[in-house]
Structures are given as structure tokens and as C-alpha cells.
Amino acid sequence: MLPWKRVLRPLTALLLTAAVATVPATAAHAADTAATSSSGWNDYSCKPSATHPRPVVLVHGTLANSVDNWLALAPYLEDRGYCVFSFDYGQLPNVPVFYGLGPIDKSAEQLSAYVDKVLAATGAAKVDLVGHSQGGMMPRYYLKFLGGAAKVNALVGIAPDNHGTDLDGFTRLLPYFPGAADLISASTPGLADQIVGSAFLTKLNAGGDTVPGVHYTVIATKYDEVVTPYSSQFLSGSDVHNVLLQNLCALDLSEHALIGLTDRIAFHEAANALDPAHASATTCASALS
């Protein structure tokens, strides 16, 4: 083994540990028990109302899970009358709690199975999807290649890495370390799939960003330090609404994690996307709504 590989392995572990440290302290406890009706969402007896006829499926991001990623947004939507569901995907063997690390095409298959489960339980014809980070990008594979477009009305991506990330240029250094990309791909394929120029992203974005029949919304922050440049999050297509959070509220300083975890301004804009007929202007005051 080359000497630098002996350095890279513990360095990779250190980076993952640092990322884990940014997750709310409740995660390790909360993720051990799947969200149930007692937590306010994943209530499979919930029947969508005439006002909100589609259940909402929340799709967590990388190194997150179906509980901690949605401790704020799930109740926010439930309080507004939605049937809300979430699930875990992208699990690696012997890696508990922190998911979204498996091959993204396989994660999309897990999403497909879960949407079918929600539709069967609720009796709805379609769902709406709201995803954070990888969770806002991965569903596009489901829509494009796995028949999801027939079962999904809208996809709302909060800080999604739709065209990958260069991690502020860090990924450009990989070619200087022979074998580094292969090592990342072998150990955490879900991370490798999100690097700009990956085979997965090339396939995903070939022939256009969107598919007919689905309404797309992207909510981004200019302070995103994970999906860079932030403009790469935006989609092109005839039914796309790209939103920069600071154009709605210049005072909003949320970065990549907070925009999905706690930002009620972003949540308000997501709710607008789910129910455009009753949308109201998103402003700084939306943080109090």
C-alpha cells in the first residue's frame, strides 16, 4: 500500500467523525427508533385531506437519517395538515445512524419501494417529495429511471447537489492522489457519486435535468459550504422554480445544514411549493410564522 493511503484512511475516518459531530445530539438516540405516530409523523393511518390530498415524503441527506433531519420540518408540515412520512436509505454495513452513504442508484430503489408503501397506506394517487442535500437530488434518479414521475407531483430540493459538488475545490485535488477516488468509491460510494463529474451524475443529468409532469423547486443558500458552487444546485427545465434564500430574506445566514434542519424561511417556501394555490410571500417574517 502506498504511504499516502495509510494516511488517507484515518483522514477519511476523521472527516466522517467531524461531520457526525455536527449532527444534533439527539440523533444517536432518536435514530435508534424509527419515527412513529407518537412523534407526529409516519402515522400510516393518516389519510390526506381534500386541502392537502398528497402525503409528503421527506428524504434525508448524507450522514443523516429519517428522524434527526426532520425534527423541525416534519412537525412544521404536520401542523399545517399534511400526512408526513420519512424513511432511512443508503445504509452501509455496520454503520448505524448515519445513512445516505450507499450507492445512490440503490438508494433511489429504496425510495421507490417506500413511496409505494406510503401510497398503499394512504390511498393517495401521488406523493410530494421534500429532500435535503442528497435527499433533494437522489429522487431525480427515481423520477427519471424508475418510473417515479407517474407517482410524484412535486419535488422540493433544499440545498440539493443536483450537479454535484467540488467542496470548494477540494475534489480537484483527488487526481494528485492516485487511487484516492477509487478508495472513496469503494468505502463510501454515496459520497463518490456526489462529486462533480461522477458517472452517476453524468447519467442523471444527461438529456436534461427534469422529466415532464413533475413540479420542481430548488431552495438554495449562498452560504452553502458543502454543495459548491451554490448555483450548481439550480435546475433547468420548463417546470422549475429556483429560489435563492437571500433573495427572500437578506438577513438569512443559514448554511448547508441549517437550511434543512431549522430554517423556517426555507420551510415556508417549501410549503408554498407544496400548495402553490395558497402560497403567501416568503419574507424574513416567515421565520416567525
Side-chain angles (χ1 to χ4, degrees):
M1 179 185 296
L2 294 174
W4 71 263
K5 287 190 177 181
R6 287 196 289 269
V7 174
L8 184 60
R9 288 185 188 277
L11 178 60
T12 301
L14 179 62
L15 289 173
L16 289 176
T17 300
V20 165
T22 66
V23 179
T26 55
H29 172 74
D32 286 338
T33 304
T36 65
S37 58
S38 63
S39 67
W41 75 94
N42 278 4
D43 177 0
Y44 291 94
S45 67
C46 185
K47 298 301 179 183
S49 65
T51 304
H52 299 306
R54 292 176 300 275
V56 178
V57 174
L58 303 177
V59 191
H60 66 74
T62 308
L63 288 170
N65 58 64
S66 62
V67 178
D68 68 81
N69 209 146
W70 307 121
L71 291 174
L73 181 56
Y76 181 95
L77 293 175
E78 191 208 8
D79 288 347
R80 284 155 179 77
Y82 290 92
C83 292
V84 181
F85 301 87
S86 64
F87 74 113
D88 292 317
Y89 71 86
Q91 302 92 332
L92 291 182
N94 303 315
V95 180
V97 180
F98 304 103
Y99 304 134
L101 296 171
I104 298 182
D105 57 346
K106 300 302 180 184
S107 295
E109 293 177 5
Q110 292 178 275
L111 171 61
S112 177
Y114 190 73
V115 167
D116 287 348
K117 179 180 179 179
V118 169
L119 291 177
T122 61
K126 290 186 176 184
V127 303
D128 289 324
L129 303 176
V130 179
H132 180 213
S133 192
Q134 180 189 162
M137 174 271 288
M138 176 270 281
R140 293 179 49 229
Y141 190 94
Y142 164 57
L143 299 177
K144 195 169 188 178
F145 299 110
L146 302 179
K151 303 174 183 180
V152 175
N153 170 71
L155 169 61
V156 182
I158 302 174
D161 51 344
N162 281 314
H163 300 97
T165 178
D166 65 6
L167 288 176
D168 278 328
F170 177 79
T171 60
R172 298 173 195 163
L173 299 177
L174 290 176
Y176 295 98
F177 298 91
D182 291 338
L183 180 59
I184 295 172
S185 181
S187 58
T188 53
L191 296 181
D193 285 346
Q194 296 178 73
I195 296 174
V196 169
S198 72
F200 172 82
L201 288 168
T202 299
K203 177 180 179 179
L204 176 64
N205 293 314
D209 291 345
T210 64
V211 295
V214 179
H215 309 293
Y216 295 83
T217 298
V218 174
I219 305 171
T221 171
K222 70 179 183 180
Y223 299 113
D224 200 311
E225 78 287 16
V226 174
V227 181
T228 56
Y230 74 81
S231 57
S232 68
Q233 300 174 27
F234 295 142
L235 295 171
S236 297
S238 59
D239 196 350
V240 172
H241 182 47
N242 292 315
V243 180
L244 182 62
L245 203 57
Q246 285 71 35
N247 287 341
L248 305 177
C249 176
L251 300 177
D252 195 315
L253 302 179
S254 288
E255 42 64 73
H256 184 78
L258 291 181
I259 190 178
L261 293 175
T262 63
D263 195 316
R264 291 177 71 90
I265 297 172
F267 295 174
H268 187 273
E269 190 64 12
N272 280 346
L274 296 175
D275 188 9
H278 300 95
S280 59
T282 301
T283 66
C284 293
S286 301
L288 304 176
S289 64

